[in-house]
Amino acid sequence: MSGLHFHVNEIPSPPSIMLFGLQQMMICLSSLLVIPYVVSDMLCAGDQALQIRVQLISATFVTSGIATILQTTFGMRLSILHGPSFAFLPALHTFQATFPCNADTNVNNWEEKMQMISGSCLVAVLIMPILGFTGLVGKISKYIGPVTIVPIMSLLTIGTVPDIEEKMALHWISIVEFLTLILFVVILERYEVPLPVFSISEKKIKFTRQKIFSQFPYLLGISIVWFICFIMTVTNAEPRGGAARTDQNASITVFDETPWVQMPMPLFFGPPKFNLALVCGFMASCFAAMIESIGDYNLCAKISKQSRPPPSNTNRAFVVEGVGCILAALWGVGTGVTTYAENIAIMSVTKVTSRITMQMAGVLLILAGVISKFAAFLSMIPEPIIGGLLAMGVCLINGVSLSNLQTVDMKISRNLTIIGISIIMGLTVATHFEKTPLNTGNQIVDDVFGTLLTIRMLIGGVIAFILDNITGGATRRQRGFISEMDEEQSDMESQPTIESNGYALPSKLNQFFLRYSWLTYLPIVPSEREIREIEEKRNKFSISEKIEKA
């Protein structure tokens, strides 16, 4: 397709598939590491924290890989990568406030905490496949615009500030990591580095220029700063016991004792338990993650030169995303999964949107999780470096969320006021109930609503959603929604040919649905008319190809 090196259905050469898949895996590596570090610290497990972290890293890689393969194969069917969602952190912070880590904490109770986190997450994320399977997510999304999305995502990032401060306060090397990432992501983004390559045909070494800083910023940032920590350790510039040392006895012991290959097992921490307040908090997180994914799906479609995602694909995508969340809960990741915008953004640079390259990234993630020695190696990264990664990741999420405002008419005071009210009141209400816990006399009510009223993104999102939908003074276009006429025109311009239609299901699956036509009435399945149109186009394309070859 025009402007793309490889479209969604196109299959590059095996070496290219491997390289592009590895690149996609490396881009999400930093985000995949943050959640295991944060969750393992919340469990207050003492000396066992490192072993738990290794298990969480392995589980995160495996579940992210499975979710990615399912989404690209059966869900949206575009090149989308799934990983742990930061939207679940606010609910975890509230839970942590109930079970804080202090001198009196029993470090042997970490399993019970993990059981409550995973069990509550398991129940909460069921809302996602239910909304997708019933088709409600498509109907609800029509009323969620940028004026609602921006406050939710802004408050989400603001809510992670305590985590950023806690990690970066451990050591000044976290600032070095953050500044290194700024150098690579912002300043050197377009700089092309000359790299030597050997030309087999010409039998000599040639130089090719690549934008390695924009393609591998996190991998380079981690490697460079980790090496600096190693030099500081060898020269004893960092005192013994310092947070930036690479020879921590506990981490080395865990690395030595970890087997090379070990399949992460679900419920390794024991049978799930449930906490009603945390279930409600995680449900709010699910809605935030779904809103984030809706924007990412549309962005991916635009970059992939596809039309708007059909309702059946959107519904199916959330069913699959919900399945990924269920797997993450069972494996003890601590959060659900969501779409990673940074992996979509890199496709706009490489112009490679091939589905099979993202499926390869999923396979590599699974392999990285099964090779537990690799997870143990990553768990040895000094924690301050994770602080720098978390800071940059949250900054990018906030920047991407603000980009939604480009379709909103910011000259209208109505839009500005709603956004301002929702953000400020989301912060104010949550701060008040953090300082003054709810006390109605009913323990269940206090636990549930006390949790919900401290989740900033929930309060701000509800305020923005209500005001944006009941307040006049702006058309849908001025509120940031695309008009039906613009949508139809956009679809006409980006309508792909049948061989490059990324949404179409495989012919065998379509034939199955035609054989049992009652299935086409399900919201997650294309209509019978759509399936027949696709198969007719495929038959015509197949006939024309045979004629050309003859």
Side-chain angles (χ1 to χ4, degrees):
M1 294 183 72
S2 176
L4 294 178
H5 295 314
F6 297 101
H7 63 71
V8 177
N9 294 332
E10 203 165 355
I11 299 178
S13 64
S16 296
I17 293 173
M18 179 63 72
L19 286 174
F20 287 123
L22 180 63
Q23 176 177 252
Q24 290 287 5
M25 173 190 166
M26 291 302 179
I27 287 168
C28 71
L29 191 62
S30 60
S31 298
L32 294 177
L33 288 175
V34 168
I35 295 298
Y37 271 77
V38 172
V39 173
S40 60
D41 288 342
M42 286 182 177
L43 297 177
C44 315
D47 293 338
Q48 302 176 74
L50 273 171
Q51 294 176 328
I52 297 168
R53 187 174 297 163
V54 172
Q55 290 177 300
L56 293 182
I57 291 174
S58 292
T60 298
F61 277 63
V62 170
T63 54
S64 297
I66 294 173
T68 298
I69 293 172
L70 290 176
Q71 188 64 264
T72 53
T73 307
F74 303 108
M76 184 59 70
R77 287 183 56 76
L78 299 183
S79 294
I80 289 169
L81 189 139
H82 280 321
S85 172
F86 284 11
F88 288 74
L89 287 180
L92 285 173
H93 288 148
T94 305
F95 178 76
Q96 186 184 25
T98 308
F99 300 96
C101 299
N102 51 46
D104 299 325
T105 301
N106 186 347
V107 295
N108 295 318
N109 286 342
W110 71 267
E111 288 183 341
E112 186 177 358
K113 293 180 182 179
M114 192 74 249
Q115 289 165 2
M116 281 194 282
I117 290 173
S118 295
S120 301
C121 186
L122 180 62
V123 173
V125 298
L126 292 175
I127 193 69
M128 200 176 288
I130 290 173
L131 289 176
F133 196 83
T134 57
L136 289 174
V137 65
K139 293 180 172 61
I140 295 173
S141 64
K142 294 179 181 179
Y143 300 96
I144 299 174
V147 176
T148 301
I149 294 173
V150 170
I152 289 176
M153 299 310 298
S154 295
L155 289 167
L156 165 63
T157 55
I158 291 171
T160 60
V161 169
D163 282 318
I164 297 173
E165 190 278 332
E166 180 185 349
K167 298 293 183 188
M168 295 192 73
L170 293 173
H171 198 277
W172 55 263
I173 199 70
S174 61
I175 300 174
V176 176
E177 174 67 34
F178 184 67
L179 293 177
T180 302
L181 291 175
I182 290 177
L183 179 68
F184 293 163
V185 175
V186 180
I187 300 174
L188 299 178
E189 179 192 8
R190 297 185 177 278
Y191 182 74
E192 295 180 340
V193 179
L195 299 174
V197 292
F198 181 75
S199 174
I200 297 176
S201 58
E202 299 180 17
K203 296 182 179 180
K204 67 177 182 179
I205 296 177
K206 300 174 66 176
F207 282 87
T208 179
R209 304 184 72 86
Q210 297 290 333
K211 298 179 180 178
I212 62 171
F213 295 119
S214 62
Q215 293 182 350
F216 304 104
Y218 294 103
L219 180 62
L220 291 171
I222 292 173
S223 301
I224 292 171
V225 180
W226 199 356
F227 182 70
I228 293 173
C229 290
F230 173 74
I231 296 298
M232 291 168 58
T233 301
V234 172
T235 59
N236 284 321
E238 175 70 6
R240 292 205 171 273
R245 287 189 73 93
T246 59
D247 63 348
Q248 302 284 358
N249 290 333
S251 60
I252 293 174
T253 302
V254 169
F255 180 79
D256 291 338
E257 294 178 353
T258 301
W260 277 98
V261 177
Q262 183 179 2
M263 182 65 186
M265 299 303 294
L267 303 177
F268 69 88
F269 42 81
K273 296 182 179 179
F274 309 99
N275 180 290
L276 183 58
L278 189 55
V279 168
C280 294
F282 277 152
M283 279 188 178
S285 300
C286 279
F287 283 109
M290 291 173 73
I291 290 170
E292 180 185 4
S293 290
I294 288 172
D296 289 338
Y297 291 153
N298 288 317
L299 176 62
C300 186
K302 185 177 180 181
I303 291 175
S304 303
K305 307 294 183 183
Q306 301 287 315
S307 59
R308 286 179 305 128
S312 60
N313 284 69
T314 301
N315 294 330
R316 201 165 58 246
F318 281 108
V319 171
V320 172
E321 190 168 327
V323 171
C325 290
I326 292 171
L327 293 176
L330 289 173
W331 261 266
V333 173
T335 71
V337 300
T338 191
T339 306
Y340 275 10
E342 54 264 42
N343 289 87
I344 297 174
I346 195 64
M347 292 192 298
S348 66
V349 177
T350 62
K351 306 300 180 185
V352 176
T353 63
S354 173
R355 180 189 298 113
I356 197 170
T357 61
M358 199 64 79
Q359 291 169 334
M360 176 55 69
V363 171
L364 293 174
L365 284 172
I366 294 173
L367 290 175
V370 172
I371 302 172
S372 50
K373 210 73 165 177
F374 180 68
F377 176 71
L378 294 177
S379 72
M380 297 173 66
I381 297 175
E383 205 155 343
I385 293 180
I386 299 298
L389 294 174
L390 177 61
M392 178 55 71
V394 171
C395 289
L396 290 176
I397 291 173
N398 194 42
V400 170
S401 71
L402 293 175
S403 69
N404 286 282
L405 292 176
Q406 58 189 330
T407 60
V408 179
D409 191 341
M410 300 304 289
K411 297 177 183 178
I412 299 178
S413 60
R414 174 247 191 221
N415 292 337
L416 296 173
T417 305
I418 291 175
I419 293 172
I421 289 174
S422 56
I423 292 176
I424 298 302
M425 293 313 298
L427 290 169
T428 304
V429 173
T431 302
H432 170 74
F433 283 101
E434 285 174 352
K435 292 181 177 180
T436 311
L438 190 66
N439 186 11
T440 64
N442 186 306
Q443 187 64 39
I444 295 177
V445 172
D446 290 347
D447 288 344
V448 173
F449 288 95
T451 297
L452 296 178
L453 289 171
T454 57
I455 299 178
R456 296 170 178 82
M457 63 181 184
L458 172 64
I459 300 165
V462 169
I463 293 173
F465 178 78
I466 293 174
L467 291 179
D468 189 36
N469 284 283
I470 68 171
T471 307
T475 63
R476 280 183 63 86
R477 172 178 280 185
Q478 290 172 324
R479 291 164 55 196
F481 291 95
I482 301 175
S483 66
E484 292 184 6
M485 185 177 298
D486 289 340
E487 287 179 347
E488 291 176 2
Q489 183 178 352
S490 176
D491 286 353
M492 289 290 290
E493 292 174 353
S494 59
Q495 186 67 39
T497 56
I498 188 60
E499 71 271 18
S500 58
N501 184 344
Y503 301 123
L505 292 168
S507 287
K508 289 186 178 179
L509 199 54
N510 280 341
Q511 294 299 332
F512 175 81
F513 288 134
L514 290 176
R515 189 177 302 122
Y516 302 97
S517 58
W518 58 271
L519 290 172
T520 60
Y521 291 98
L522 295 175
I524 61 173
V525 179
S527 67
E528 186 176 354
R529 180 183 59 81
E530 290 173 329
I531 293 175
R532 291 191 183 280
E533 285 180 357
I534 288 172
E535 290 306 308
E536 286 176 6
K537 289 179 180 178
R538 278 178 173 160
N539 290 334
K540 290 180 180 178
F541 179 74
S542 178
I543 293 171
S544 62
E545 269 195 330
K546 290 178 180 178
I547 293 174
E548 287 178 3
K549 288 180 180 179

